[in-house]
Amino acid sequence: MTNHPAELIAAYIDDELNSAQNSVVKTHIAECSSCRWELEQSLRLRQHFEREPPILLRTSTAEFWQMLQPLLSAQEAVANAQRPDLGMAWVWGGVMVLLAALSQAIFLALTLSNVATRIGYPLTRWLPMDTIQLLDSGEGPGELIISALESHLFLLAFSTPLAPLFPVLVLLALTAAFAMAFLGWGLARLYQPQSNLGQ
Amino acid sequence: MSAIGNDNIIAKEQHLLSAAQKGDKTAYGLIVETYHRLVISVAFRICGDTHLAEDIAQDTFMKAWQQLPNFQAERSTSFRAWLCRIAHNRSIDLLRQNRPETELDPHLPAQTTRPDRQVERDETATEVQAAILRLPETARTALILREYEGLSYAEIADTLEIPIGTVMSRLYNARKRLTKELTPLLLDIER
């Protein structure tokens, strides 16, 4: 016999097999003397573990709890000292993130729109013709959208001597937005209760 | 124990856990009372030193108190498996810090048997404990959790964060090595 279900035999001892697996092990043990020997040895080992008395505790459970309580309090005191009282700071952090995200979105949309217009590809050219006609007719809020998209505010700015600084300004604005977002996320994480300490 | 009695214990434990998760220290005290011996036993069997085991138990219950709000009963096989995981990790950390080999503490069994057989039993227990301590860490903990603490394979898998198949093979390897080392002693056990 060459195929010994050794690990199944270990689980058999622990009564962790289903009935089909149990049958496989029983059949095998009946035929294989080496596995039978191994099983008997494991059962003797189990017998030893069962006979062994429980370990002797150095301190009773009551004494242990008496010792543990001041340690828990000290742990809480340390956690409280390390944790700043943030109050509603996480709300303001969230508001700052939203404002930063909104202002950056507007800034980038207008810049993109004006750059596109300046180089001869106004964004409105991708709109369907009937929509453009509707927007040009000045009916509804479309006029406002078109005027925002085609605003010459940034175009004028591009023509000033400060124009070469624009990429740097965009970069700075993006960095500020990320910094504010990170700050908001950090404040929210700090405020969220993550443990029993400091309660 | 009857199924109803078992259900009552589980319900009581869930109630205590829920209270402790909200910061109720009295409820936590009752949890500590329930699991103190288990944690000491796991730590002692892993590291073989009663002083160290007590330190590990303190660390375990402090960390458990800190992390209790994050414990999710539905994501863990059982609270004791979760607690055993903390105790196991702490024991392994301390063992790695405190190497070389910890001296085996002879403080092992409670005196519950007759004195004439007691010496023999103590010697056997010390020998078995020494053989357990020579097992690789991974196999050792699986064996301890199964043989001494009676955890199911699912609970051991949860404690050690390994698949059940790996639990099976670790237990097999641990037993194989122990039975090989302790053959003469095991033959004596039958007497």
Side-chain angles (χ1 to χ4, degrees), chain A residues 146-170:
Chain A
I146 286 290
S147 67
L149 285 173
E150 295 182 347
S151 160
H152 285 263
L153 182 68
F154 285 88
L155 196 59
L156 285 171
F158 271 108
S159 64
T160 68
L162 291 173
L165 287 175
F166 267 52
V168 179
L169 290 176
V170 170

Side-chain angles (χ1 to χ4, degrees), chain B residues 19-117:
Chain B
Q21 283 184 311
K22 290 170 192 152
D24 183 343
K25 263 194 201 156
T26 311
Y28 191 60
L30 293 172
I31 292 171
V32 170
E33 194 179 298
T34 309
Y35 292 108
H36 174 226
R37 180 174 283 279
L38 167 81
V39 172
I40 292 266
S41 175
V42 169
F44 173 74
R45 306 284 182 197
I46 294 175
C47 69
D49 182 301
T50 47
H51 289 280
L52 206 54
E54 204 151 273
D55 290 346
I56 291 166
Q58 268 185 6
D59 291 352
T60 300
F61 283 111
M62 284 170 74
K63 184 153 192 194
W65 172 247
Q66 189 182 354
Q67 297 294 321
L68 205 51
N70 296 335
F71 170 73
Q72 290 168 297
E74 67 278 7
R75 286 184 63 187
S76 194
T77 321
S78 66
F79 177 71
R80 69 172 178 167
W82 184 75
L83 207 55
C84 282
R85 188 193 306 166
I86 300 176
H88 164 255
N89 290 341
R90 188 67 191 130
S91 304
I92 298 300
D93 283 351
L94 277 184
L95 265 188
R96 285 176 187 159
Q97 284 167 20
N98 290 3
R99 292 281 185 208
E101 205 65 44
T102 322
E103 276 288 306
L104 183 61
D105 197 327
H107 214 83
L108 182 62
Q111 305 231 341
T112 53
T113 47
R114 292 196 341 261
D116 54 331
R117 293 283 291 157

